[in-house]
Amino acid sequence: MCAALRWYHQVQNTNLKTDESLKKRPQQGSGKPRIIPRPEHNVTRREFSDSALKVLYRLHKAGYQAFLVGGCVRDAMLELHPKDFDVATDATPDEVKALFRNCRLIGRRFRLAHVRFGREVIEVATFRAAAIHEHDDHHSDEEGRILRDNVYGTIDEDVWRRDFTCNALYYNIADFSIWDYTGGFEDIEQERIVLIGDPEKRMREDPVRMLRAIRFAAKLDFEIDEKVIRAIDHHAHLLPNVPAARLFDEFLKLFQAGNAERTFDLLYDHHLFDEMFPATAKEIEENKEFWHFTRAALQNTDRRVQEGKSVTPMFLLGVFLWWPVKELAAIRRAEEKMSESQSLALAAYEIVAQQQRRISIPKRFTVPMREMLSLQPRFELKRGKRAMKLLNHRRFRAAYDFMVLLADAGLADKETAKFWTDVQTQSAAERAASFEVGQPGTSGKKRGPRRRRRRKPAQNQ
Ligand code: ATP
Ligand code: MG
């Protein structure tokens, strides 16, 4: 870097330090960014994927501005090994497409470029300006929620529409410096979550930011700025205005990233959990056992993520909805004669339908979840062939894990849990003895003659 440029940066940095010491935050329109040159920050290119670097270099070579932005810069600074990379540029989507063969443009309203390298996708977004006019009916609903936000802009417009200062750092591939317009660099060093602009207004514009504040606080172990907390407390009730499909995506990010327990505590403390899962929150409030069970499940989920094991959202959803389902099942059984399993399946159907109004859960998760819940009474049956058949049920594993958690929380019989744990590792003979059925092949029942298989009709007939 040339001496003049270094001097320029030093002056910029000194200015900003004074600014911070006065406790004034940079505001929109306050001009130039603080540019942190490579020797003054710890973000190395080793933290970025080759594909992301390839995209940046090619844009740069073609004469465009090319920055990494958002979570990947934040996580690289914290040495958290980012996995997804967002690129911001002044090239339009069509210009990006012209540079990359492996590029697809997505989105109708606001077009983004996806550059694909095998399974990895690098998202390239053209700088956007904030089309925010709180009183403009065309852009926001009556609560102030932004409905449209689709104007191209420059980097110093793009930055102000981002959510938190820690998510608004731009890594410039031209000289490996970091551009900071909002004080995010220092906020990361100070481990705090600060919203850009007026927190009250920004939470109204997009209530999902409340969940994001909690998610980043839990993930990064940062403290949430007091003003942000206040804005969450004022606007938690706006969460149901968010489309249910978007809340499902957020649910996944909140609870499957390895910090589910801490995330839950924060959501619960700030009444956001009540808005996401009203029936669950009500039951947790009233039943200590359910509270313990929920926490055990969250800890279990975090442990699995840390061990690199798979987690399915249907398990935790089943946990959250278990008590409301169980209570409703008892009511349905009192109304009409049916088995416990049937009543659980019916109640699960009704409770899921209620829950969908807040968070839309895809069918591929609700169906196995209902099965997992309605299998629970089957574990009490430990003798006979029907009992033994449960081991081969396609939902056995999930239902068993669920039952063990219930038992650990004192909500299912511990002996029963031990029985089902033991039988899984027993030999065929031992297992037959456990279930008190004859050993395979010695049942005494004679096999009839083998049926001839019908030939399949030819495909083209
Ligand atoms: P992570 O990928 O770890 O979840 P992230 O910060 O990268 O975190 P993304 O959802 O990938 O989060 O979003 C990328 C960037 O887009 C963010 O860093 C932020 O600058 C901006 N952004 C995302 N969602 C919002 C929002 N609701 N309001 C304003 N800006 C947002
Ligand atoms: Mg990201």
Short mmCIF file of all heavy atoms in Angstrom, two decimals, residues 58-85:
data_model
loop_
_atom_site.label_atom_id
_atom_site.label_comp_id
_atom_site.label_asym_id
_atom_site.label_seq_id
_atom_site.Cartn_x
_atom_site.Cartn_y
_atom_site.Cartn_z
N ARG A 58 -12.48 -12.63 -10.32
CA ARG A 58 -12.92 -12.42 -11.70
C ARG A 58 -13.68 -11.10 -11.84
O ARG A 58 -13.51 -10.38 -12.81
CB ARG A 58 -13.76 -13.60 -12.20
CG ARG A 58 -13.94 -13.47 -13.71
CD ARG A 58 -14.52 -14.66 -14.39
NE ARG A 58 -13.82 -15.91 -14.13
CZ ARG A 58 -14.27 -17.09 -14.51
NH1 ARG A 58 -15.42 -17.17 -15.16
NH2 ARG A 58 -13.61 -18.18 -14.26
N LEU A 59 -14.51 -10.79 -10.86
CA LEU A 59 -15.23 -9.51 -10.90
C LEU A 59 -14.24 -8.35 -10.87
O LEU A 59 -14.34 -7.39 -11.64
CB LEU A 59 -16.17 -9.39 -9.68
CG LEU A 59 -17.48 -10.19 -9.73
CD1 LEU A 59 -18.11 -10.26 -8.35
CD2 LEU A 59 -18.46 -9.57 -10.73
N HIS A 60 -13.26 -8.49 -9.99
CA HIS A 60 -12.26 -7.43 -9.82
C HIS A 60 -11.48 -7.22 -11.13
O HIS A 60 -11.28 -6.09 -11.57
CB HIS A 60 -11.33 -7.81 -8.67
CG HIS A 60 -10.21 -6.84 -8.46
ND1 HIS A 60 -10.42 -5.52 -8.16
CD2 HIS A 60 -8.86 -7.01 -8.52
CE1 HIS A 60 -9.25 -4.91 -8.05
NE2 HIS A 60 -8.28 -5.78 -8.26
N LYS A 61 -11.07 -8.35 -11.73
CA LYS A 61 -10.30 -8.27 -12.97
C LYS A 61 -11.09 -7.61 -14.10
O LYS A 61 -10.53 -6.94 -14.97
CB LYS A 61 -9.86 -9.68 -13.41
CG LYS A 61 -8.35 -9.85 -13.31
CD LYS A 61 -7.93 -11.24 -13.65
CE LYS A 61 -7.44 -11.36 -15.08
NZ LYS A 61 -7.09 -12.78 -15.37
N ALA A 62 -12.40 -7.80 -14.04
CA ALA A 62 -13.25 -7.21 -15.08
C ALA A 62 -13.56 -5.74 -14.79
O ALA A 62 -14.33 -5.12 -15.51
CB ALA A 62 -14.54 -8.02 -15.19
N GLY A 63 -13.00 -5.23 -13.72
CA GLY A 63 -13.14 -3.80 -13.44
C GLY A 63 -14.28 -3.44 -12.51
O GLY A 63 -14.60 -2.26 -12.32
N TYR A 64 -14.91 -4.45 -11.87
CA TYR A 64 -16.00 -4.15 -10.94
C TYR A 64 -15.50 -4.13 -9.51
O TYR A 64 -14.45 -4.69 -9.20
CB TYR A 64 -17.11 -5.21 -11.06
CG TYR A 64 -17.71 -5.28 -12.43
CD1 TYR A 64 -17.46 -6.38 -13.27
CD2 TYR A 64 -18.54 -4.26 -12.90
CE1 TYR A 64 -18.02 -6.45 -14.53
CE2 TYR A 64 -19.10 -4.33 -14.17
CZ TYR A 64 -18.84 -5.41 -14.98
OH TYR A 64 -19.38 -5.48 -16.22
N GLN A 65 -16.29 -3.50 -8.64
CA GLN A 65 -15.99 -3.61 -7.21
C GLN A 65 -16.45 -4.99 -6.75
O GLN A 65 -17.52 -5.46 -7.19
CB GLN A 65 -16.78 -2.56 -6.43
CG GLN A 65 -16.25 -1.14 -6.60
CD GLN A 65 -17.02 -0.19 -5.69
OE1 GLN A 65 -18.24 -0.13 -5.73
NE2 GLN A 65 -16.30 0.56 -4.87
N ALA A 66 -15.68 -5.63 -5.89
CA ALA A 66 -16.07 -6.97 -5.43
C ALA A 66 -15.72 -7.12 -3.95
O ALA A 66 -14.55 -7.01 -3.57
CB ALA A 66 -15.37 -8.03 -6.26
N PHE A 67 -16.74 -7.36 -3.16
CA PHE A 67 -16.57 -7.48 -1.71
C PHE A 67 -17.24 -8.74 -1.21
O PHE A 67 -18.29 -9.14 -1.73
CB PHE A 67 -17.27 -6.32 -0.99
CG PHE A 67 -16.70 -4.97 -1.27
CD1 PHE A 67 -17.15 -4.23 -2.37
CD2 PHE A 67 -15.76 -4.40 -0.43
CE1 PHE A 67 -16.64 -2.96 -2.63
CE2 PHE A 67 -15.26 -3.13 -0.69
CZ PHE A 67 -15.70 -2.41 -1.78
N LEU A 68 -16.66 -9.31 -0.16
CA LEU A 68 -17.42 -10.29 0.62
C LEU A 68 -18.13 -9.48 1.68
O LEU A 68 -17.58 -8.48 2.18
CB LEU A 68 -16.49 -11.30 1.29
CG LEU A 68 -16.03 -12.45 0.41
CD1 LEU A 68 -14.97 -13.25 1.15
CD2 LEU A 68 -17.19 -13.36 0.03
N VAL A 69 -19.34 -9.90 2.04
CA VAL A 69 -20.08 -9.09 3.01
C VAL A 69 -20.92 -9.99 3.91
O VAL A 69 -21.24 -11.13 3.56
CB VAL A 69 -20.99 -8.07 2.27
CG1 VAL A 69 -22.04 -8.76 1.43
CG2 VAL A 69 -21.64 -7.09 3.24
N GLY A 70 -21.22 -9.45 5.08
CA GLY A 70 -22.16 -10.14 5.96
C GLY A 70 -21.50 -11.16 6.86
O GLY A 70 -20.35 -11.00 7.28
N GLY A 71 -22.25 -12.26 7.08
CA GLY A 71 -21.83 -13.25 8.06
C GLY A 71 -20.45 -13.82 7.82
O GLY A 71 -19.74 -14.15 8.78
N CYS A 72 -20.03 -13.93 6.56
CA CYS A 72 -18.74 -14.58 6.32
C CYS A 72 -17.58 -13.70 6.79
O CYS A 72 -16.58 -14.22 7.30
CB CYS A 72 -18.59 -14.99 4.86
SG CYS A 72 -18.70 -13.66 3.69
N VAL A 73 -17.71 -12.39 6.67
CA VAL A 73 -16.64 -11.50 7.14
C VAL A 73 -16.62 -11.51 8.68
O VAL A 73 -15.57 -11.65 9.31
CB VAL A 73 -16.83 -10.06 6.62
CG1 VAL A 73 -15.67 -9.17 7.06
CG2 VAL A 73 -16.96 -10.05 5.10
N ARG A 74 -17.82 -11.42 9.24
CA ARG A 74 -17.96 -11.46 10.71
C ARG A 74 -17.36 -12.75 11.27
O ARG A 74 -16.52 -12.72 12.18
CB ARG A 74 -19.46 -11.38 11.04
CG ARG A 74 -19.84 -11.51 12.47
CD ARG A 74 -21.32 -11.90 12.57
NE ARG A 74 -21.53 -13.27 12.12
CZ ARG A 74 -22.63 -13.70 11.50
NH1 ARG A 74 -23.63 -12.89 11.25
NH2 ARG A 74 -22.73 -14.97 11.14
N ASP A 75 -17.75 -13.89 10.69
CA ASP A 75 -17.27 -15.17 11.20
C ASP A 75 -15.77 -15.34 10.97
O ASP A 75 -15.07 -15.93 11.79
CB ASP A 75 -18.05 -16.33 10.58
CG ASP A 75 -19.48 -16.40 11.12
OD1 ASP A 75 -19.80 -15.63 12.04
OD2 ASP A 75 -20.26 -17.22 10.62
N ALA A 76 -15.26 -14.82 9.85
CA ALA A 76 -13.82 -14.92 9.59
C ALA A 76 -13.06 -14.12 10.65
O ALA A 76 -12.02 -14.56 11.16
CB ALA A 76 -13.50 -14.41 8.20
N MET A 77 -13.60 -12.97 10.99
CA MET A 77 -12.93 -12.14 12.01
C MET A 77 -12.88 -12.87 13.35
O MET A 77 -11.95 -12.75 14.12
CB MET A 77 -13.74 -10.84 12.17
CG MET A 77 -12.91 -9.60 12.19
SD MET A 77 -13.95 -8.16 12.40
CE MET A 77 -13.29 -7.52 13.94
N LEU A 78 -13.92 -13.67 13.61
CA LEU A 78 -14.00 -14.39 14.88
C LEU A 78 -13.40 -15.80 14.77
O LEU A 78 -13.53 -16.61 15.68
CB LEU A 78 -15.47 -14.49 15.32
CG LEU A 78 -16.13 -13.15 15.65
CD1 LEU A 78 -17.64 -13.30 15.73
CD2 LEU A 78 -15.58 -12.58 16.95
N GLU A 79 -12.77 -16.06 13.62
CA GLU A 79 -12.15 -17.37 13.35
C GLU A 79 -13.15 -18.51 13.52
O GLU A 79 -12.86 -19.53 14.13
CB GLU A 79 -10.90 -17.56 14.21
CG GLU A 79 -9.80 -16.59 13.77
CD GLU A 79 -8.63 -16.50 14.74
OE1 GLU A 79 -8.46 -17.41 15.55
OE2 GLU A 79 -7.90 -15.50 14.66
N LEU A 80 -14.35 -18.30 13.00
CA LEU A 80 -15.40 -19.32 13.13
C LEU A 80 -15.62 -20.11 11.84
O LEU A 80 -16.62 -20.80 11.71
CB LEU A 80 -16.73 -18.64 13.51
CG LEU A 80 -16.83 -18.09 14.94
CD1 LEU A 80 -18.15 -17.36 15.15
CD2 LEU A 80 -16.70 -19.22 15.96
N HIS A 81 -14.69 -19.99 10.92
CA HIS A 81 -14.73 -20.77 9.67
C HIS A 81 -16.07 -20.67 8.95
O HIS A 81 -16.86 -21.63 8.98
CB HIS A 81 -14.37 -22.23 9.92
CG HIS A 81 -13.20 -22.39 10.84
ND1 HIS A 81 -12.01 -21.72 10.62
CD2 HIS A 81 -13.04 -23.10 11.98
CE1 HIS A 81 -11.17 -22.03 11.58
NE2 HIS A 81 -11.76 -22.85 12.43
N PRO A 82 -16.34 -19.55 8.30
CA PRO A 82 -17.62 -19.39 7.59
C PRO A 82 -17.81 -20.44 6.52
O PRO A 82 -16.83 -20.93 5.95
CB PRO A 82 -17.49 -18.00 6.95
CG PRO A 82 -16.04 -17.68 6.95
CD PRO A 82 -15.44 -18.40 8.12
N LYS A 83 -19.08 -20.78 6.30
CA LYS A 83 -19.38 -21.81 5.29
C LYS A 83 -20.13 -21.25 4.10
O LYS A 83 -20.07 -21.80 3.02
CB LYS A 83 -20.14 -22.96 5.93
CG LYS A 83 -19.20 -24.00 6.51
CD LYS A 83 -19.96 -25.04 7.27
CE LYS A 83 -19.57 -25.21 8.72
NZ LYS A 83 -19.61 -24.10 9.62
N ASP A 84 -20.90 -20.17 4.30
CA ASP A 84 -21.51 -19.62 3.10
C ASP A 84 -21.05 -18.18 2.88
O ASP A 84 -20.77 -17.44 3.82
CB ASP A 84 -23.04 -19.77 3.09
CG ASP A 84 -23.71 -18.91 4.11
OD1 ASP A 84 -23.73 -19.33 5.27
OD2 ASP A 84 -24.20 -17.81 3.75
N PHE A 85 -20.94 -17.86 1.58
CA PHE A 85 -20.27 -16.61 1.20
C PHE A 85 -21.18 -15.75 0.35
O PHE A 85 -21.75 -16.21 -0.63
CB PHE A 85 -18.98 -16.95 0.46
CG PHE A 85 -18.04 -17.75 1.32
CD1 PHE A 85 -18.04 -19.14 1.26
CD2 PHE A 85 -17.21 -17.13 2.24
CE1 PHE A 85 -17.21 -19.88 2.09
CE2 PHE A 85 -16.38 -17.86 3.06
CZ PHE A 85 -16.38 -19.25 2.99
#
